[in-house]
Amino acid sequence: MQQEKQPDYHAVVFRDRAAGFAFLTRSTATSERTIDWDDGETYPVVDVEISSESHPFYTGKARTVDSEGRIAQFEKRYGSSGPAGDGKDTA
């Protein structure tokens, strides 16, 4: 493997500001901002909008969007009868 073509892989802190959650991992992401971590070291910090602490799927707060069936939604939107009114093709 050619080392000069590989990206810099280093320790980075990802922080979810909405949930107040941060975790240290390794990544190629970079940032000008830094944070002092629990181990006394200073790491670059990348702010993210959603993490496993705030995503509805992982927190169990997901909403059920489809409360009606697909056929019921179609009939509600377009009506239940065809163009002739009896469901038969008159052409």
Side-chain angles (χ1 to χ4, degrees):
M1 197 173 349
Q2 296 176 352
Q3 292 295 345
E4 63 272 0
K5 292 187 180 184
Q6 300 302 315
D8 182 30
Y9 188 66
H10 54 275
V12 177
V13 174
F14 286 93
R15 177 174 55 187
D16 182 354
R17 299 192 86 158
F21 176 70
F23 59 95
L24 177 66
T25 187
R26 296 184 56 82
S27 176
T28 59
T30 60
S31 176
E32 296 295 322
R33 290 176 285 189
T34 60
I35 189 171
D36 293 327
W37 196 243
D38 299 337
D39 61 1
E41 297 291 326
T42 301
Y43 298 103
V45 62
V46 176
D47 291 324
V48 294
E49 294 181 19
I50 295 178
S51 71
S52 61
E53 289 293 312
S54 62
H55 194 281
F57 179 80
Y58 296 107
T59 60
K61 297 178 183 176
R63 296 181 294 153
T64 303
V65 176
D66 188 17
S67 60
E68 296 182 34
R70 289 184 181 184
I71 295 173
Q73 286 180 349
F74 181 84
E75 289 177 351
K76 181 178 175 183
R77 185 176 296 153
Y78 299 109
S80 60
S81 62
D86 59 357
K88 296 180 181 177
D89 189 14
T90 58

